Each structure stands twice: as C-alpha cells, then as structure tokens.
Amino acid sequence: MSARTRRLTTAQALVRFLSAQYTERDGVRRRLIAGTWGIFGHGNVAGLGQALVEHADVMPFHQGRNEQSMVHAAVGHARQLNRLSAQAVTTSIGPGATNLVTGAALATINRLPVLLLPGDYFASHAADPLLQQLEHPVEADVSVNDTLRPVSRYFDRITRPEALIPSALNAMRVLADPAETGAVTLALPQDVQAEAYDWPEEFFAERVWHVRRPAPDPVELAAAVEAVRSAERPLVIAGGGVHHSEAEQALQAFVDATGIPVASTQAGKGSLRHDHPADLGGIGHTGTAVSDDLARTADLVIGVGTRYTDFTTASGTLFQHPDVRFLNLNITGFDAHKLAARTLVCDARTGLDLLREALSGHRVREEYVAEYRAGKDRWNEVVEAAYRAADDSAVPTQTQVLGALDAIVGDDDVVINAAGSLPGDLHKLWRSRSPRQYHLEYGYSCMGYEIPAAIGVQQAAPGTPVWALVGDGTYLMMPTEIVTAVQEGLPLNVVLIQNHGYASIGGLSQETGGERFGTAYRFRAADGTFTGAPLPVDLAANAASLGMDVLRAKTVRELREALAAARASGRPTCVYVETDPAPTAPPAEAWWDVPVAETASREAAVEARERYERQVADRRRHL
C-alpha cells in the first residue's frame, strides 16, 4: 500500500468515509451520519456487518427489529436536530430492502434526511439468481431496490468499488442540502461490498458540508414588501421550514414588529409559543376556528416553509377572499411557486429577518389585531372545555387524555404522533410551549411511526422526556421497537389509547357513506357482520411482554397519576388507558375532499354524495 492509498473493502471504506462527514451551520458542527441502524442478512452481514465491527470505534451501531421502523427512528433523530444530522440504515437484499420503501417515502415527503444502504444482487452475476433476487426477463440490472428510486432524492447502485467515491460525495451533498434533502439510497451489491480496493487517503479526510442560508433575490424582496404593505388582512402560515431553519425567533420578531397573526400547519405548530398573542394555532381541516375564519377573509397569505397540502388549504376551499394573493417564502422554488404566489426563494430565517427590516415601521391596523386576539380568546375557552373533566372518577375521553398530559409535561418535553384521530385533536388543541415539543408526522401520516421515532428523538436529545401517543390501531402496526428502546436503555413513554378500532377512519367512513364498515375491532358473526363485543386483546400485557413498565389507568385521576409516574421514571414506560368513545373534540372547521360514490343504492352514500357536491362547489383555483 502506498502512502497515498489505503486498502479496504468497499463496505469498510464506506463506513470510514461516513464517520468523517460533518455539517456546519451558524458555526455549529455536527456529525452528518451519527450512527447506523441495521438488521443483518446474507445481503449485508459479510460486507457492511463486518465493516461496522471493523470500525466500531468510529461508527455507533443500533440494532433494530423492523426495517421500516429503523427508518422512522432515523427520521425522528433528523427532525429533532433540524436536519443537521442524520442516521444510516442497512438491510439485507429482498424483504429487508423492500421494507425500507414506506420509511423512505415518509422521509422524502417530509424533506428529512436518511441514508439507506440495502444489500443487492452480485454485480458480477457470478451467483445468479441468488436467494431473494428478483429476476426480470428483459432487464437484468433490475432488483427490488429499484422500488426505492421514486421515493429517494438520490439513488445509485455501486457496481464497482471506485464508483463509490463520486456517489458517496453526491449522497452527502443531497443529505446536507436543505433544498434537496430526503431519503438517499446507495444500493450495495454483495460482492462489491466485500471487494478490496486501494482507496485514496483524501477520501477519508474530514469533510464539512456547510448548510447554507441563501438570501432572497432583491427584486423578489421588493415585490414582497409591496405586497405586505398593501394588504389589509395578511396572515402567516408557518410550516415545517420554520423549524428546520431554526427561524422561530425571526418569526416572532417579524410578528412583533408587524402585528401579522400566525397560523400553523402540522409540521409548523410550535413556531410561536401557544400563549403568544399572535399565535392562532392550527390551520385547515384540523385547524382552529380563529385560524380558519381569518384564512377565509385574508387578502394576503404569507406561507413560510409550507408545502400547502390539502389539509392546510381545506382542499382548495379555505381561502375565499375574492382578491386573495399568496406570498411564499421557501428554500425550494418548487414549493415557493405553489398557488401562483409571489416568491421569496430563500432560507426562512434569513428571509424573515430581511423582510422585517424592509418593512420597518409597518403594522397592521389595531382593529385587525383586536379581532384575531378576541378569536384566540374564544378558542382558548374551547380548548379548556375539551380538556376539562367534570368527574375525576370517570373514564377519560381522548381530549381529556390530552388535557391530563398537558398538565404534566414541561416546556422541553416532546410529544410524537402521526396517524388516526389524534393528529386532528392535537392540531386543534395542543398548546405548544417550545419549538420541538410538537412532533407530528403528517406528510405521510404513517401508522407505526410514533414509537420508533420516539427512539430517534430520545437518541438525539438525551434526558428529554419523550411521549409517543398511539391508538390501538397504530400500536398493532409496529410495536416491536419497544424491544429496541429496552435494549438501548431509552426511557421513552408510550401513551396507549384503547378505543377498539380505527376511530379516525371510522368517522370518515361514516361521513362519506361507508357506514364504518371494517373499521372496528369486533368479532365476526356467521353472517359476516360484526357483533358489538370487543376482542379480548390485552395490549398493555403485550407492551409488558416486550419489556416496558406498564401503568394502567381507568379514570381521569388515575391517568394523571400514571402520567406523572411515567415522566419521573427512568425506564421505558407505557401508560395504558381505555377511553370513553363519546366525541369531545370540536368538529372540523374546514372541509377535506374525500370523493364520495357518485351513484349508490344505500341511503348513507346517497346523502353523503349530496353533502359532497355542496362542499366541492366552494373549491377555487388560485391563479
């Protein structure tokens, strides 16, 4: 070996390379790849598995139980650290690799970095077909890993050792770029993983990827200033980009200077503290009354770091002012141009600071401020009513579970959720006290995300109380990473709410003419119908069997005590509560488009179609 090269296998070289990558923003440096998750099989055990043993001193390893869950954990880690640090996930060829697809889609949709390292077929085709290999009759270079192409921001198959050098650099570039980031996949053929090569020493040198804060174009900034100055009823929509950019203080300074109120998406909630006078809470289908009322009359909507999903826009029915216009501040031109908006393509923090400076002295009318503050006060009364329990000895409702948790958590606790009826209740009701407290994955709304994501958050923020809120449907999807939390000694808390079925989709089924078919957990009778008796399933016992401490709560009082005990515990703890199914959350303040059968013989579907046609008539195309 010469002084300028180092002889390693491809897998060993990759691990050494990843261990030397860093991000830097605002003078703060972090490991870009902080650790590697893995489940080993014949596609990676002799390659990456051996490399991780060889270089265990520089690359932390975490053992997972499900490949999708490992991606969720890595995503939770990246989100907690504002995308400045990521984790890698390695799997075998075959089902291990295809299990990555859902997690990859979640990461890319939410613009969160994760590095995927699945095993692949032999590049040499020496063993062909091998165990678990997909054979294609006319495309011999296709493998199951090609399913990851559409859900990856960057994809490559490393068919020669030397091909890793440019591909690894491109992978790091995408992971560290706030405008490009998402899932990155390097598919690794088994023989190439184990093949030795004389690598240039420069490949292993410490490399720092600067995370830029691009400023807006001066022409765009001037047009944005004019748009804000001429607006009578402007409204900010804060999206996840506010958090990713660490722009919360810049947003507050902008709001304090201008008096413009802020509504938030699921990803943007917590951009302002809940008790800031201009914070109006969630917006859209799961939004607050005050946010949605102002959105209907806003003449300028200022989107900051938002993707404008259908939940945010109420499927195009929310913004009803006849002359409404949009101003979008986003680091990607793709998102900035949505809704035919004026654009500020820039970093959220930089853009908000420059916009505030250019608007010096400008404020909205005091009558407008008084209007939205009065609306905020009215909504706070709704929240209190939903949280309040008239009888502490009664079985709690779901919103009372949130009220009990609200009374226990501190400002730095992190509350994680992703799917079911809880996201709507949380978006309307939760009172966020810090930028990282509210952790909702709603870009993909993936059942099973919560527990593994809580592990990732706990790894990223040791000592922070972390709460995974799950219903019974979500819990049954993916509870296995509880074992990982126990193995890693992570004291996460799981609040397991038992309501015997898919509550959210059951309500949607009823609203759209599906009559709650197939949404409850009940015994099936001989005629195919479902009886009223719940299944004799004990999910609390299941959590205990996986190693968690379990606290069962039957009343509101017992729930408060159990939550306090869980927060004080140094062990992974599950608080199990069966809730009163009576709806106590405020109804939706805006519509969501789920198409209803255009023709049907059942009365429920006919009536649902009539409602649908009335509501869809309000949709607008913003041009």
Side-chain angles (χ1 to χ4, degrees), residues 288-513:
T288 68
V290 58
S291 288
D292 288 350
D293 285 347
L294 259 66
R296 293 184 181 97
T297 60
D299 58 355
L300 179 68
V301 177
I302 306 169
V304 182
T306 177
R307 300 188 299 121
Y308 285 112
T309 68
D310 59 344
F311 259 61
T312 297
T313 68
S315 300
T317 65
L318 186 57
F319 308 110
Q320 289 297 324
H321 190 288
D323 299 317
V324 65
R325 291 294 180 265
F326 297 84
L327 169 63
N328 291 339
L329 192 163
N330 204 292
I331 201 163
T332 70
F334 175 79
D335 288 316
H337 280 87
K338 290 176 178 176
L339 302 176
R342 293 182 183 273
T343 60
L344 275 177
V345 180
C346 60
D347 170 74
R349 192 173 86 180
T350 301
L352 284 168
D353 283 341
L354 291 175
L355 187 58
R356 172 178 53 81
E357 292 168 6
L359 285 165
S360 179
H362 175 76
R363 279 188 66 84
V364 298
R365 292 177 297 107
E366 285 305 313
E367 295 87 349
Y368 185 47
V369 174
E371 177 189 343
Y372 70 67
R373 288 186 178 181
K376 177 181 175 71
D377 289 341
R378 290 192 298 272
W379 188 257
N380 282 336
E381 294 175 2
V382 173
V383 175
E384 288 295 336
Y387 279 1
R388 189 182 308 119
D391 182 0
D392 278 3
S393 64
V395 174
T397 64
Q398 183 163 282
T399 59
Q400 289 166 359
V401 172
L402 300 184
L405 185 60
D406 175 77
I408 293 297
V409 299
D411 286 7
D412 294 327
D413 290 36
V414 179
V415 175
I416 301 175
N417 188 238
S421 58
L422 277 166
D425 292 356
L426 286 160
H427 199 206
K428 292 187 187 84
L429 303 174
W430 188 258
R431 300 186 279 212
S432 298
R433 307 174 196 183
S434 63
R436 294 260 59 91
Q437 183 173 84
Y438 188 86
H439 184 129
L440 260 284
E441 188 290 295
Y442 215 59
Y444 210 43
S445 187
C446 188
M447 296 177 72
Y449 171 83
E450 295 89 343
I451 293 173
I455 291 173
V457 171
Q458 197 86 78
Q459 290 176 329
T464 298
V466 179
W467 303 84
L469 274 56
V470 296
D472 51 334
T474 291
Y475 179 86
L476 286 167
M477 288 276 181
M478 206 165 290
T480 50
E481 296 310 314
I482 286 174
V483 178
T484 303
V486 172
Q487 180 179 25
E488 298 258 341
L490 301 173
L492 64 88
N493 301 302
V494 173
V495 180
L496 176 51
I497 300 173
Q498 172 66 273
N499 53 24
H500 302 288
Y502 302 116
S504 174
I505 207 67
L508 180 62
S509 173
Q510 183 174 4
E511 176 65 22
T512 57

Side-chain angles (χ1 to χ4, degrees), residues 244-267:
H244 298 328
S245 177
E246 299 176 329
E248 297 90 356
Q249 291 183 4
L251 177 63
Q252 181 173 334
F254 175 81
V255 169
D256 290 345
T258 64
I260 299 174
V262 176
S264 55
T265 68
Q266 287 280 17

Side-chain angles (χ1 to χ4, degrees), residues 255 261-264 269-282 290-291 372 376 432:
V255 169
V262 176
S264 55
K269 194 172 170 75
S271 295
L272 291 181
R273 267 187 65 102
H274 74 93
D275 52 4
H276 190 284
D279 179 66
L280 307 183
V290 58
S291 288
Y372 70 67
K376 177 181 175 71
S432 298

